[in-house]
Amino acid sequence: MINLELPKKLRASANQAHQVAQEIFRPASRKYDLAEHEYPVELDTMAAMVEGLSDSGTEQISGATGGRTGDEDKHATELLGNTNGGNMSALMNALETSWGDVGLMLSIPYQGLGNAAIAAVATDEQLKRFGKVWAAMAITEPSFGSDSAAVTATATLDGDEWVLNGTKIFVTAGSRATHIVVWASVDRSAGRAAIKSFVVPRDAKGLTVSRLEHKLGIKASDTAEIRFEDCRIPKDNILGSPEVNVEKGFGGVMQTFDNTRPLVAGMAVGVGRAALEELRTVLTDAGIEISYDKPANNQHAAAAEFLRLEADWEAAYLLSLRAAWMADNKKPNSLEASMSKAKAGRMGTDVTLKAVELAGATGYSQRTLLEKWGRDSKILDIFEGTQQIQQLIVARRVLGLGSDKLK
Ligand SMILES: Cc1cc2nc3c(=O)[nH]c(=O)nc-3n(C[C@H](O)[C@H](O)[C@H](O)COP(=O)(O)OP(=O)(O)OC[C@H]3O[C@@H](n4cnc5c(N)ncnc54)[C@H](O)[C@@H]3O)c2cc1C
């Protein structure tokens, strides 16, 4: 029988993340929505806490480091017959902190998406050097977004250093992180197999943060354009093997998506839950009863709609858990990671906008955070691979067709 209760250790870390979300993020949520590009000073409190916790060997508060804690949970093993580790914990933390504020969640120091890439593929020596940095992830360029094989940034080996050139855009936490994980080609003539990732300190000479974006939502999160002009980094800052293996393609760099996509799904699940809770309050205040005993078609139309949204939310939650569980248990999860991201991304926008709709003028105004969540959730269906790209990946895997056959 499947036991869907969270194991004790995960419950404890999720509760801790929820507390941070409730006490630090929610109260500051509107403030930074109205003050885009202002540094959220509340994050310094977070940084101290996160650093303290990682120094003491305790689970980290937040989300994006998936994969490497590798901590086997005895209780989880008893309950679920598995080894719940870093991915599941990261998912729960991303979910809880995003319930508080997803823009602030994306700005938590030392928890960038680049950290997930480092955690997934760094050597032990690199983990010693980069295990505690704050790393953003820079893949997207002015010439492409979805087609990650189209990287034009270059990395050329010169003695003991890589020399990086190119421009990256839309880098989350790009102006605040201490390091940037950059995708660049070591040989443009060799195609996708030559795309590698590099850890670049943000204060490296030749790296410039050239622009900050103004956005629809997640305004607390900085989104930067970064230029690399003859930017030199040590030779051993490359993640994974420098060898260009045409047979293997660029599976190495793509692998990090299997860890990060369930996390982004978790963020959508967190925002969705926030909206459902607020909507329940609004409906209850309006005298609308939501019953789990009566059939939906015998209830107020708004209550019936609420039940539909909640079921949709639950499906996204369970798909996210499955994808993270598989990653923790070393099961190939590309299909499930994309399924979770596609479902949760769609659910997040649907649930939050329906909540605005059902709450009417209250939902559309700034009296509650409903309208903000409607704006915030859209990005979760775009970055780390859009809705359409996730569906494409699912279709390819289900039908057994390669990217050359199904584009
Ligand atoms: C706020 C924000 C933060 C971001 N953070 C980061 C970050 O930290 N690091 C980073 O590297 N990037 C980041 N991005 C970039 C993001 O990952 C890209 O925007 C995303 O991958 C989509 O790329 P694009 O915008 O170029 O859209 P395009 O690829 O041009 O796509 C446009 C539309 O066409 C659809 N489409 C594309 N190809 C296909 C296809 N084959 N079949 C069907 N439909 C298709 C897409 O789904 C989309 O709807 C961020 C973007 C934003 C807005």
Side-chain angles (χ1 to χ4, degrees):
M1 197 180 76
I2 301 173
N3 183 341
L4 292 171
E5 245 182 68
L6 282 182
K8 201 166 144 197
K9 188 171 131 191
L10 283 185
R11 249 188 345 251
S13 90
N15 285 344
Q16 205 173 25
H18 187 76
Q19 222 176 325
V20 167
Q22 192 160 35
E23 287 167 21
I24 302 178
F25 286 9
R26 270 292 172 90
S29 200
R30 182 62 80 188
K31 177 176 160 194
Y32 293 105
D33 184 45
L34 297 173
E36 192 170 25
H37 299 165
E38 200 174 293
Y39 178 73
V41 286
E42 290 80 356
L43 293 175
D44 292 341
T45 320
M46 278 277 335
M49 281 173 78
V50 168
E51 215 164 331
L53 285 168
S54 63
D55 281 347
S56 70
T58 321
E59 283 293 339
Q60 296 193 331
I61 284 279
S62 173
T65 55
R68 200 56 181 251
T69 44
D71 223 345
E72 298 200 0
D73 182 348
K74 196 155 166 280
H75 192 74
T77 311
E78 283 158 13
L79 280 178
L80 300 169
N82 70 16
T83 53
N84 278 324
N87 286 282
M88 194 70 120
S89 171
L91 172 72
M92 293 314 301
N93 292 336
L95 190 162
E96 292 299 338
T97 43
S98 301
W99 171 91
D101 187 282
V102 68
L104 289 168
M105 184 274 161
L106 289 164
S107 310
I108 297 176
Y110 307 104
Q111 305 288 321
L113 286 172
N115 288 92
I118 293 172
V121 291
T123 61
D124 289 343
E125 184 279 323
Q126 285 175 326
L127 269 188
K128 274 202 194 107
R129 284 190 293 139
F130 303 131
K132 283 192 179 176
V133 303
W134 177 3
M137 188 84 190
I139 303 169
T140 308
E141 296 182 6
S143 55
F144 80 90
S146 297
D147 182 9
S148 359
V151 167
T152 66
T154 55
T156 313
L157 196 57
D158 181 22
D160 280 344
E161 292 176 322
W162 290 103
V163 184
L164 270 68
N165 280 288
T167 300
K168 295 289 174 181
I169 55 172
F170 294 114
V171 182
T172 298
S175 72
R176 295 177 187 156
T178 61
H179 289 67
I180 319 285
V181 174
V182 181
W183 282 26
S185 170
V186 294
D187 177 0
R188 296 261 341 255
S189 67
R192 59 178 63 195
I195 299 170
K196 304 286 172 183
S197 48
F198 301 84
V199 185
V200 185
R202 194 166 51 77
D203 58 6
K205 207 163 158 249
L207 183 160
T208 324
V209 174
S210 39
R211 175 192 154 90
L212 288 180
E213 299 296 332
H214 289 279
K215 309 187 296 292
L216 174 72
I218 57 161
K219 288 171 187 269
S221 162
D222 61 316
T223 308
E225 174 182 286
I226 301 180
R227 294 207 184 128
F228 299 88
E229 286 157 316
D230 290 333
C231 176
R232 288 178 171 269
I233 54 165
K235 188 177 167 185
D236 48 9
N237 279 24
I238 188 169
L239 291 174
S241 162
E243 185 200 339
V244 176
N245 184 335
V246 180
E247 299 282 290
K248 276 193 181 166
F250 72 149
V253 280
M254 290 299 278
Q255 219 180 338
T256 56
F257 284 134
D258 299 344
N259 287 12
T260 54
R261 284 178 174 156
L263 282 183
V264 178
M267 294 174 205
V269 172
V271 183
R273 199 182 80 202
L276 283 173
E277 286 174 11
E278 186 68 40
L279 178 60
R280 182 188 287 278
T281 306
V282 171
L283 295 181
T284 307
D285 288 350
I288 296 167
E289 185 205 352
I290 301 161
S291 167
Y292 292 92
D293 298 323
K294 282 190 251 168
N297 61 349
N298 280 350
Q299 298 190 44
H300 190 290
E305 187 64 2
F306 183 92
L307 292 173
R308 181 188 74 78
L309 296 175
E310 209 173 40
D312 210 30
W313 176 89
E314 185 104 21
Y317 175 57
L318 293 177
L319 283 170
S320 313
L321 287 184
R322 179 174 67 163
W325 178 89
M326 290 177 79
D328 277 342
N329 288 275
K330 309 263 177 292
K331 293 177 193 291
N333 74 336
S334 295
L335 169 67
E336 290 77 8
S338 285
M339 281 178 165
S340 71
K341 169 91 173 46
K343 178 70 188 174
R346 205 166 56 233
M347 175 283 297
T349 50
D350 187 35
V351 162
T352 54
L353 286 178
K354 270 284 169 197
V356 168
E357 185 180 307
L358 293 173
T362 303
Y364 195 74
S365 72
Q366 291 190 359
R367 291 181 182 199
T368 68
L369 290 166
L370 285 173
E371 60 80 30
K372 177 181 182 297
W373 294 328
R375 288 183 284 113
D376 284 351
S377 58
K378 189 62 204 173
I379 189 58
L380 305 171
D381 205 24
I382 296 177
F383 67 13
E384 291 294 294
T386 63
Q387 174 66 222
Q388 291 78 6
I389 295 301
Q390 304 308 331
Q391 290 195 26
L392 192 59
I393 294 169
V394 171
R396 278 183 194 147
R397 298 233 162 220
V398 169
L399 299 172
L401 297 173
S403 54
D404 54 329
K405 299 244 162 39
L406 205 53
K407 299 182 192 225

